[in-house]
Amino acid sequence: NKKGGRVDEYSPGGKAGWRPDRALIVYANRIKEACPGVAIVLGGIEASLRRFAHYDYWDDKVRRSILLDAKANLLVYGMGEKPIVEIADRLAGGESLAALNNIPGTAVLRKNLDFIKDYQLLPSYEENKESKGKFAQSFKIISAQMTPRTSKPLVQAHDSRYVVQFPPAILKSAEMDKIFELPFQRNWHRVYDKQGGVKGMETVRFSIISHRGCCGECSFCALSFHQGKIVQSRSAASVLREAKLLAEREDFKGTISDIGGPTANLYQAHCTLWAKGDYCETKKCLVPSKCRNLKLGYQKSLALYRKIREIPKVKHVFIASGFRYDLLVDEYASQYLEEVCQHHISGQLKVAPEHISDYVLKIMNKAPFARYKKFISKFNRIKAKLNKKIFLVNYFLSSHPGAGLEEAHELASYLKQNKIRPEQIQDFTPTPLTLSTCIYYTGTDPFSEESIYIPKSIKERKMQRALIQPQNTKKVKPSKKSK
């Protein structure tokens, strides 16, 4: 609701206000002041999602590429390990900043396009700013040019200059192994000790990243444009080696808090097209149902988890990452779900139904609600069989495009009837470069061109939240006059 946070778990002592608004722009410009002539390379999810003209929720307008506002030389989108090494090597080899072209996973700002012949032109920043139709057109083009193998460079004019994005970078399994086995400290900098440390570190200190990328393509999620639609997994041997290293740390208490990624049960998932750095343009991997060409890595996952459980000093191996519940319903997932529930859930299994309205779920690119109800039945049967106290943590989303007060009331009624008091309710917040944000800003689906209702007012957003999560709504004392 456009209010600053009171607590920041990523700052020393959890104190808010340490970073300025639009920190990426502020820091880049301050570095320019302090070190004139130094090369500025932007990276991280903030840079990744603002690499083109984008809708900014805080300003409620279309802003230009962050390359211009930060006055940077280069932008790395995605996770960035391969691009940053190539940038460093080429600079060290004597190449100028102006010559750093054709690096996968980067975007640059150029005055002319002499260095590329075949590219895809996007509507300009000025066109995006003036026309919602052009904004939607840009989104469609960007969506279609995210395959590492076949994508063309994308070009978007900003006044007299051009933002040029080169195709995405992708890592092979061996490359991921090498990166994740580097000697990370798994700690905040010691200067923060006296300030209480960094709380956000505690949840990941003894966790292991097993894979990245997500083929789910939820409309509100930015992963498809950041980590990509292709799931990239580390080898089981590499994950096992990291688990053994964790177990030997002096501060290890016996619990590996998580082995996962964006979606826990997509580890070792694969498709023949992914191996070529490609994927289908005309159909989705998981919606309306799982594609028959998508092979899940459940047996490989279970074999890995069993080996990690056998490591001396390891008492618990938990999976705290969220699960894609629609991939746990069918018979092929029964053994996997039962063993995960028996050994790898600390008490809470995280799933994200998001809503119960099939109309809203379709806009979100999520499975129909009947699929979720089928999962609930299966989970309850396994829970009874194991005689174990495990609970579902359900993530729901309010005020998403397409969800009005009627849909909020429908969700609230379902929760009440089923005696569910959800703690994990999130108000939809438009983030740059997602389909839901494009719909929010334009009021239409860019692919179907269907007009969609948008709950934009703060008042309605609060009303939806109050309906769905009444226990967290502040009770207002009646005034003497109203009495």
Side-chain angles (χ1 to χ4, degrees), residues 10 16 18 36 88 106 140 146 214 279 296 348 352 355 363 377 379 415 429 457 478:
Y10 302 99
W18 284 66
T106 66
K140 286 177 67 175
M146 283 300 295
C214 185
Y279 53 80
L296 300 174
Q348 296 180 329
H355 216 284
I363 296 170
S377 298
F379 173 77
L415 297 174
T429 304
S457 73

Side-chain angles (χ1 to χ4, degrees), residues 349-449:
L349 180 73
K350 297 175 182 175
V351 294
E354 305 297 1
H355 216 284
I356 72 162
S357 164
D358 282 342
Y359 171 68
V360 177
L361 288 169
K362 185 177 180 182
I363 296 170
M364 291 178 170
N365 196 39
K366 299 285 287 187
F369 191 64
R371 190 83 173 154
Y372 175 71
K373 289 197 285 188
K374 195 174 178 182
F375 165 73
I376 291 288
S377 298
K378 184 172 186 176
F379 173 77
N380 286 334
R381 288 196 301 271
I382 289 175
K383 181 179 174 181
K385 179 182 177 181
L386 297 176
N387 193 24
K388 186 179 177 183
K389 286 187 177 181
I390 48 177
F391 305 93
L392 287 179
V393 175
N394 295 287
Y395 290 83
F396 291 99
L397 195 57
S398 65
S399 300
H400 187 274
L405 286 171
E406 182 179 340
E407 287 77 15
H409 189 271
E410 185 183 352
L411 174 54
S413 297
Y414 171 83
L415 297 174
K416 186 176 181 180
Q417 289 169 11
N418 289 274
K419 297 180 181 179
I420 300 172
R421 291 168 60 89
E423 295 297 324
Q424 306 293 340
I425 296 288
Q426 182 180 349
D427 293 329
F428 169 70
T429 304
T431 51
L433 209 57
T434 67
L435 174 55
S436 294
T437 297
C438 182
I439 295 171
Y440 177 92
Y441 174 60
T442 64
T444 60
D445 183 311
F447 299 100
S448 68
E449 299 184 359

Side-chain angles (χ1 to χ4, degrees), residues 184 230 470:
F184 294 102
I230 297 173

Side-chain angles (χ1 to χ4, degrees), residues 79-266:
M79 299 305 286
E81 297 95 346
K82 287 179 78 171
I84 202 67
V85 171
E86 184 172 346
I87 291 166
D89 285 346
R90 287 173 63 171
L91 286 174
E95 288 191 51
S96 67
L97 285 167
L100 295 182
N101 297 315
N102 300 309
I103 301 176
T106 66
V108 296
L109 190 63
R110 295 289 182 256
K111 291 182 179 179
N112 60 66
L113 301 174
D114 297 344
F115 60 95
I116 48 173
K117 294 180 180 178
D118 189 18
Y119 58 84
Q120 175 75 56
L121 190 65
L122 295 168
S124 68
Y125 157 66
E126 290 76 16
E127 289 176 304
N128 274 267
K129 188 177 180 182
E130 297 300 323
S131 167
K132 291 182 178 180
K134 293 292 185 183
F135 187 92
Q137 183 185 346
S138 293
F139 183 84
K140 286 177 67 175
I141 295 171
I142 296 167
S143 298
Q145 298 293 335
M146 283 300 295
T147 53
R149 187 175 71 89
T150 59
S151 292
K152 296 179 181 180
L154 291 177
V155 174
Q156 186 175 62
H158 283 62
D159 193 16
S160 59
R161 292 181 287 178
Y162 301 94
V163 171
V164 181
Q165 172 194 286
F166 302 107
I170 193 168
L171 290 176
K172 296 177 181 177
S173 181
E175 292 172 317
M176 286 188 68
D177 291 353
K178 184 177 179 181
I179 289 164
F180 282 101
E181 291 186 65
L182 290 171
F184 294 102
Q185 294 298 300
R186 294 182 178 270
N187 204 356
W188 54 74
H189 196 284
R190 58 181 176 270
V191 299
Y192 300 135
D193 288 344
K194 292 181 180 179
Q195 296 164 279
V198 180
K199 187 178 179 181
M201 182 72 206
E202 296 298 348
T203 58
V204 298
R205 188 193 298 274
F206 298 110
S207 69
I208 298 173
I209 295 173
S210 57
H211 59 290
R212 67 169 55 151
C214 185
C215 58
E217 295 184 69
C218 297
S219 302
F220 49 80
C221 181
L223 270 168
S224 296
F225 296 94
H226 182 60
Q227 291 189 356
K229 300 176 186 178
I230 297 173
V231 177
Q232 303 156 71
S233 298
R234 294 169 62 185
S235 70
S238 174
V239 175
L240 186 61
R241 284 193 295 269
E242 185 175 350
K244 289 178 178 178
L245 285 173
L246 279 181
E248 294 303 318
R249 286 176 61 99
E250 291 183 5
D251 54 352
F252 182 67
K253 306 297 183 184
T255 298
I256 294 177
S257 59
D258 187 25
I259 300 176
T263 302
N265 51 326
L266 282 178

Side-chain angles (χ1 to χ4, degrees), residues 271 280 283-295 327:
C271 168
C280 298
K283 61 181 180 179
K284 308 289 186 183
C285 295
L286 303 182
V287 177
S289 60
K290 184 182 80 66
C291 174
R292 59 187 174 86
N293 294 321
L294 175 63
K295 309 301 180 185
L327 295 178

